[in-house]
Short mmCIF file of all heavy atoms in Angstrom, two decimals:
data_model
loop_
_atom_site.label_atom_id
_atom_site.label_comp_id
_atom_site.label_asym_id
_atom_site.label_seq_id
_atom_site.Cartn_x
_atom_site.Cartn_y
_atom_site.Cartn_z
N THR A 2 100.28 69.85 115.97
CA THR A 2 99.13 68.99 115.70
C THR A 2 99.07 68.70 114.20
O THR A 2 99.14 69.62 113.40
CB THR A 2 97.83 69.75 116.05
OG1 THR A 2 98.08 70.58 117.15
CG2 THR A 2 96.69 68.81 116.33
N ALA A 36 102.78 74.78 100.35
CA ALA A 36 103.74 73.98 99.59
C ALA A 36 105.14 74.59 99.62
O ALA A 36 106.14 73.87 99.67
CB ALA A 36 103.27 73.85 98.14
N ARG A 75 102.50 82.78 71.24
CA ARG A 75 103.46 82.94 72.35
C ARG A 75 102.91 82.31 73.62
O ARG A 75 101.72 82.32 73.88
CB ARG A 75 103.73 84.43 72.61
CG ARG A 75 104.68 85.05 71.59
CD ARG A 75 105.05 86.47 71.97
NE ARG A 75 103.91 87.35 72.06
CZ ARG A 75 103.58 88.05 73.13
NH1 ARG A 75 104.32 87.98 74.23
NH2 ARG A 75 102.53 88.83 73.13
N ARG A 76 103.83 81.77 74.43
CA ARG A 76 103.50 81.31 75.78
C ARG A 76 103.85 82.43 76.74
O ARG A 76 104.92 83.03 76.62
CB ARG A 76 104.32 80.08 76.16
CG ARG A 76 104.01 78.84 75.36
CD ARG A 76 105.00 77.74 75.73
NE ARG A 76 104.82 76.56 74.93
CZ ARG A 76 104.04 75.54 75.27
NH1 ARG A 76 103.39 75.57 76.41
NH2 ARG A 76 103.91 74.50 74.50
N VAL A 85 104.87 81.28 102.02
CA VAL A 85 103.89 81.89 102.91
C VAL A 85 103.59 83.30 102.39
O VAL A 85 104.50 84.04 102.04
CB VAL A 85 104.42 81.91 104.36
CG1 VAL A 85 103.55 82.79 105.24
CG2 VAL A 85 104.50 80.49 104.91
N SER A 90 103.20 87.68 98.34
CA SER A 90 104.57 87.86 98.81
C SER A 90 105.53 88.15 97.67
O SER A 90 106.72 88.38 97.89
CB SER A 90 105.07 86.61 99.56
OG SER A 90 104.53 86.57 100.86
N GLY A 163 97.89 108.96 89.07
CA GLY A 163 98.83 109.43 90.08
C GLY A 163 99.51 108.28 90.81
O GLY A 163 99.55 107.14 90.32
N PRO A 186 97.76 82.88 115.69
CA PRO A 186 96.92 82.87 116.90
C PRO A 186 96.77 81.44 117.45
O PRO A 186 96.96 80.47 116.71
CB PRO A 186 95.57 83.40 116.38
CG PRO A 186 95.60 83.22 114.91
CD PRO A 186 97.03 83.22 114.47
N ASP A 204 82.43 58.95 102.90
CA ASP A 204 80.98 59.04 102.68
C ASP A 204 80.58 60.40 102.07
O ASP A 204 79.62 61.03 102.50
CB ASP A 204 80.21 58.83 103.99
CG ASP A 204 80.54 57.50 104.64
OD1 ASP A 204 80.81 56.54 103.88
OD2 ASP A 204 80.56 57.43 105.88
N CYS A 208 87.39 64.79 104.44
CA CYS A 208 87.86 64.45 105.80
C CYS A 208 89.36 64.64 105.95
O CYS A 208 89.94 64.32 106.98
CB CYS A 208 87.48 63.03 106.16
SG CYS A 208 88.26 61.83 105.05
N ASN A 265 86.33 79.24 82.59
CA ASN A 265 86.16 80.65 83.00
C ASN A 265 87.46 81.32 83.44
O ASN A 265 87.45 82.36 84.09
CB ASN A 265 85.10 80.74 84.12
CG ASN A 265 84.65 82.17 84.36
OD1 ASN A 265 84.40 82.92 83.43
ND2 ASN A 265 84.60 82.59 85.62
N LEU A 266 88.61 80.72 83.09
CA LEU A 266 89.89 81.35 83.44
C LEU A 266 90.03 82.67 82.67
O LEU A 266 89.85 82.70 81.45
CB LEU A 266 91.04 80.41 83.06
CG LEU A 266 92.46 80.96 83.15
CD1 LEU A 266 92.81 81.38 84.58
CD2 LEU A 266 93.47 79.92 82.66
N THR A 286 122.96 104.47 83.96
CA THR A 286 123.75 105.49 83.26
C THR A 286 124.89 105.89 84.19
O THR A 286 124.79 105.67 85.41
CB THR A 286 122.91 106.75 82.96
OG1 THR A 286 122.55 107.36 84.21
CG2 THR A 286 121.65 106.45 82.18
N PHE A 334 102.31 102.48 85.87
CA PHE A 334 103.45 103.32 85.48
C PHE A 334 104.69 102.87 86.26
O PHE A 334 104.65 102.73 87.50
CB PHE A 334 103.15 104.79 85.78
CG PHE A 334 104.27 105.71 85.40
CD1 PHE A 334 104.43 106.11 84.08
CD2 PHE A 334 105.18 106.16 86.35
CE1 PHE A 334 105.48 106.95 83.71
CE2 PHE A 334 106.23 107.00 85.99
CZ PHE A 334 106.37 107.40 84.67
N PRO A 336 108.65 103.97 86.76
CA PRO A 336 109.61 105.03 86.41
C PRO A 336 111.03 104.49 86.22
O PRO A 336 112.01 105.11 86.66
CB PRO A 336 109.52 105.97 87.62
CG PRO A 336 109.23 105.07 88.76
CD PRO A 336 108.36 103.96 88.22
N LEU A 339 112.84 99.97 81.17
CA LEU A 339 112.76 98.51 81.02
C LEU A 339 113.26 98.16 79.62
O LEU A 339 113.05 98.93 78.68
CB LEU A 339 111.32 98.02 81.17
CG LEU A 339 110.57 98.39 82.45
CD1 LEU A 339 109.19 97.75 82.42
CD2 LEU A 339 111.34 97.94 83.69
N GLY A 351 114.76 105.94 81.49
CA GLY A 351 113.46 105.96 80.83
C GLY A 351 112.34 105.58 81.75
O GLY A 351 112.51 105.54 82.98
N LYS A 362 86.41 90.27 78.40
CA LYS A 362 85.32 89.32 78.10
C LYS A 362 85.88 87.95 77.69
O LYS A 362 85.15 86.97 77.67
CB LYS A 362 84.45 89.88 76.98
CG LYS A 362 83.77 91.20 77.35
CD LYS A 362 82.57 91.46 76.44
CE LYS A 362 81.81 92.71 76.84
NZ LYS A 362 82.36 93.93 76.25
N ARG A 368 93.36 72.96 82.39
CA ARG A 368 93.10 71.52 82.33
C ARG A 368 94.28 70.76 82.90
O ARG A 368 95.44 71.14 82.69
CB ARG A 368 92.91 71.07 80.88
CG ARG A 368 91.63 71.54 80.29
CD ARG A 368 91.19 70.77 79.05
NE ARG A 368 89.91 71.30 78.62
CZ ARG A 368 89.79 72.41 77.90
NH1 ARG A 368 90.84 73.07 77.49
NH2 ARG A 368 88.59 72.86 77.56
N LEU A 394 91.85 97.42 73.95
CA LEU A 394 93.27 97.63 74.23
C LEU A 394 93.93 98.55 73.18
O LEU A 394 94.75 99.41 73.53
CB LEU A 394 94.00 96.28 74.31
CG LEU A 394 95.29 96.27 75.11
CD1 LEU A 394 95.12 96.87 76.50
CD2 LEU A 394 95.85 94.87 75.23
N ARG A 402 98.83 107.01 74.89
CA ARG A 402 99.84 107.81 74.17
C ARG A 402 99.51 109.30 74.29
O ARG A 402 100.39 110.12 74.57
CB ARG A 402 99.83 107.37 72.72
CG ARG A 402 101.05 107.70 71.97
CD ARG A 402 100.98 107.07 70.61
NE ARG A 402 101.94 106.01 70.42
CZ ARG A 402 101.89 105.14 69.42
NH1 ARG A 402 100.90 105.17 68.55
NH2 ARG A 402 102.83 104.24 69.28
N GLY A 438 102.03 91.80 74.06
CA GLY A 438 100.97 91.78 75.08
C GLY A 438 101.21 90.67 76.10
O GLY A 438 101.79 89.63 75.80
N THR A 447 88.59 80.18 87.85
CA THR A 447 88.61 78.76 87.49
C THR A 447 87.70 77.90 88.35
O THR A 447 87.49 76.73 88.04
CB THR A 447 90.05 78.24 87.59
OG1 THR A 447 90.63 78.75 88.81
CG2 THR A 447 90.90 78.70 86.42
N HIS A 494 88.44 86.59 103.89
CA HIS A 494 87.76 87.09 105.09
C HIS A 494 86.30 86.67 105.11
O HIS A 494 85.78 86.16 106.13
CB HIS A 494 87.87 88.62 105.11
CG HIS A 494 87.77 89.22 106.47
ND1 HIS A 494 86.55 89.51 107.05
CD2 HIS A 494 88.71 89.57 107.38
CE1 HIS A 494 86.76 90.02 108.26
NE2 HIS A 494 88.06 90.07 108.48
N GLN A 498 83.83 83.82 107.59
CA GLN A 498 82.51 84.15 108.15
C GLN A 498 81.47 83.11 107.71
O GLN A 498 80.73 82.56 108.53
CB GLN A 498 82.12 85.53 107.63
CG GLN A 498 80.96 86.15 108.35
CD GLN A 498 80.68 87.57 107.81
OE1 GLN A 498 81.46 88.14 107.05
NE2 GLN A 498 79.56 88.11 108.22
#
Side-chain angles (χ1 to χ4, degrees):
T2 326
R75 283 186 300 124
R76 293 174 184 268
V85 168
S90 282
D204 302 327
C208 62
N265 193 44
L266 171 61
T286 65
F334 181 80
L339 304 183
K362 298 200 176 86
R368 289 199 178 81
L394 203 52
R402 200 173 248 166
T447 44
H494 204 274
Q498 193 177 350

